[in-house]
Amino acid sequence: MTTPLTLVPGRRPDGTHHLAVSGEIDMSNIDALADALSTTPGPLVLDLTDVEYLDSAGLSVLFAHADRLELIATPLLAPVLRVSGLSDLTTVHGLD
């Protein structure tokens, strides 16, 4: 059974948009993530610390917005972010 995707938008104290994501990011729910990323203007801090699973469909969405994303992740996601090359395109905090 998959964990539903939850998206919680907000702003950091400096005014930068922040989106906290929890659950699983996969083909069944990438439209919601893509919409949230597309409708949030400017730089965006994407907090993936509560993401339990990220598949290639989810990576594709993140790659499409990599030029304006800053990611917060856990070591659980480190292999997929490194092997895919996404960690080379954007700042990723929390991989170690």
Side-chain angles (χ1 to χ4, degrees), residues 5-93:
L5 181 68
T6 303
L7 305 170
V8 179
R11 285 193 183 242
R12 297 181 74 145
D14 66 1
T16 304
H17 289 277
H18 178 268
L19 183 63
V21 183
S22 62
E24 298 182 5
I25 303 172
D26 59 28
M27 184 180 260
S28 72
N29 57 29
I30 57 167
D31 290 340
L33 179 60
D35 288 345
L37 295 178
S38 294
T39 59
T40 304
L44 173 64
V45 175
L46 191 64
D47 185 344
L48 302 173
T49 55
D50 290 327
V51 171
E52 301 164 4
Y53 177 78
L54 174 64
D55 74 3
S56 60
L59 281 172
S60 294
V61 171
L62 297 181
F63 269 100
H65 297 274
D67 62 332
R68 63 187 197 90
L69 292 180
E70 182 176 335
L71 303 177
I72 303 170
T74 63
L76 174 70
L77 295 180
V80 73
L81 295 175
R82 286 189 178 117
V83 169
S84 69
L86 187 60
S87 62
D88 295 330
L89 297 177
T90 190
T91 301
V92 183
H93 303 281

